[in-house]
Amino acid sequence: MAALFIGVDAGGTSTRCVVAGETGEIVGRGHAGGANAISVQGPSANLLAALRSALDGLDTGRVTAGVFGMAGVRAAWPAVERAWREAALPGKPRVVPDMLVAFASATAEPDGTVLIAGTGAVAARIRGWRVTRRADGHGWLLGDEGSGVWLGRRAVAAALAALDGRSAPTVLTGRVAEAVLGAPTPEEPELIDEIVSAVYSRVAEYGPAWLATLAPLADAAAREGDPVAVEIVREAARSLARTARVVDDGTGPLVLGGSLLTQPTELGRLVRAELDGGRHPVPAGDGAAGAAALALRAALPPDDPRAAEGHRRLIRQGGR
């Protein structure tokens, strides 16, 4: 009976699951809402939904191994264990840092560096498919400098500062108000109270990860040349580049992951410029495919050529 390997990439805003066969061919995919144990309430439900979607029509008894890439490995384990059990899957899965699956989604090399900027932000040094050093990734309250949540919070703060006169006018004021209130807005000072109330209500309902939905406002305004937004995005780029340099020793591939760095964003352009030094960053692909590759590698002897071959096939199928 051919074995199946499960890979899950659970972020703050979405969860992706891949089921792969022994040769690395993807035979199932699933998607669900965010399952970051730090910023999302009740993550096990979305993990379970992604698993069931990907395994639909497949024999769950063939599952041999599973790897979940998540921020906060220790905090994530209870949700992963519950979802795995409720999906009636055999054995026990493994939970690894999300930056490791991002790295594995882009390269079959065992050593290198990865920088991620999505809902959160973190950089890590990888050796032998293990994270040996990391910088930031401390969550929205204590770090994640340059992340989507960081950008979204700064966009709202800039809009409010412009409204009450603490900073220069910015197009972010109108765009944040429209995004948050979704309707014609009242005049000042009521507008300030309306924005503050709406933002706190959204965060209370959806968690801090919701702030990342406002990050594109700052990025677009910076691309258009709004001085306030330009400074916000430049600061984010400097912070991310500094985070990467802390762990990067200049050897092996440099992988850039997270939607803010893999999509054609102004932030991504500035980060690449900051990191320019002869390195040619590789964009991460599907983190779920990277997680499945790690599951496949864990089940095979290290020198088994099927491990590297299956890994490379998963990278090609995972896309970028």
Side-chain angles (χ1 to χ4, degrees):
M1 182 173 63
L4 295 176
F5 303 90
I6 292 177
V8 176
D9 181 21
T13 55
S14 67
T15 299
R16 298 185 302 277
C17 179
V18 156
V19 182
E22 293 176 339
T23 63
E25 183 170 354
I26 294 176
V27 296
R29 292 182 183 269
H31 299 83
N36 184 312
I38 296 175
S39 59
V40 175
Q41 298 179 354
S44 63
N46 284 334
L47 292 174
L48 179 60
L51 283 169
R52 284 177 170 168
S53 177
L55 288 163
D56 186 35
L58 298 174
D59 179 5
T60 57
R62 294 166 54 195
V63 173
T64 300
V67 168
F68 288 66
M70 302 179 72
V73 171
R74 184 173 299 178
W77 172 248
V80 169
E81 184 180 37
R82 178 178 178 181
W84 191 265
R85 183 178 65 253
E86 291 186 3
L89 297 173
K92 283 190 175 182
R94 186 162 63 106
V95 184
V96 302
D98 53 353
M99 52 273 203
L100 180 57
V101 302
F103 181 79
S105 76
T107 178
E109 296 295 321
D111 308 324
T113 301
V114 59
L115 171 66
I116 299 174
T119 303
V122 66
R125 181 65 190 170
I126 311 297
R127 288 192 183 279
W129 301 117
R130 293 185 178 277
V131 174
T132 58
R133 189 178 181 189
R134 59 176 286 170
D136 207 351
H138 302 316
W140 67 274
L141 184 62
L142 302 176
D144 284 358
E145 295 180 0
S147 68
V149 169
W150 186 95
L151 282 170
R153 182 174 57 81
R154 290 296 300 272
V156 175
L160 295 173
L163 280 171
D164 65 20
R166 287 176 293 132
S167 70
T170 169
V171 300
L172 288 172
T173 300
R175 296 180 185 183
V176 166
E178 182 179 1
V180 171
L181 302 176
T185 57
E187 297 299 320
E188 304 173 33
E190 290 82 0
L191 179 55
I192 293 176
D193 292 337
E194 291 284 345
I195 291 174
V196 170
S197 178
V199 169
Y200 276 107
S201 294
R202 296 298 207 300
V203 171
E205 182 176 0
Y206 302 110
W210 174 83
L211 287 165
T213 65
L214 302 178
L217 301 181
D219 194 83
R223 190 182 304 112
E224 296 164 11
D226 179 78
V228 173
V230 165
E231 183 51 38
I232 290 173
V233 175
R234 282 179 177 170
E235 184 182 350
R238 290 192 293 266
S239 296
L240 289 168
R242 181 174 62 246
T243 299
R245 292 191 190 102
V246 167
V247 299
D248 186 22
D249 66 4
T251 63
L254 170 60
V255 175
L256 299 184
S259 59
L260 292 175
L261 299 181
T262 57
Q263 299 298 317
T265 62
E266 179 67 3
L267 177 61
R269 184 186 72 79
L270 292 174
V271 167
R272 286 175 173 79
E274 287 279 345
L275 294 174
D276 187 18
R279 305 289 297 280
H280 298 285
V282 181
D286 183 355
L294 293 175
L296 177 63
R297 283 183 173 278
L300 295 173
D303 58 349
D304 192 322
R306 291 179 299 170
E309 292 170 3
H311 192 156
R312 285 189 287 269
R313 176 173 288 183
L314 277 160
I315 290 174
R316 291 194 297 270
Q317 293 174 95
R320 296 194 174 97

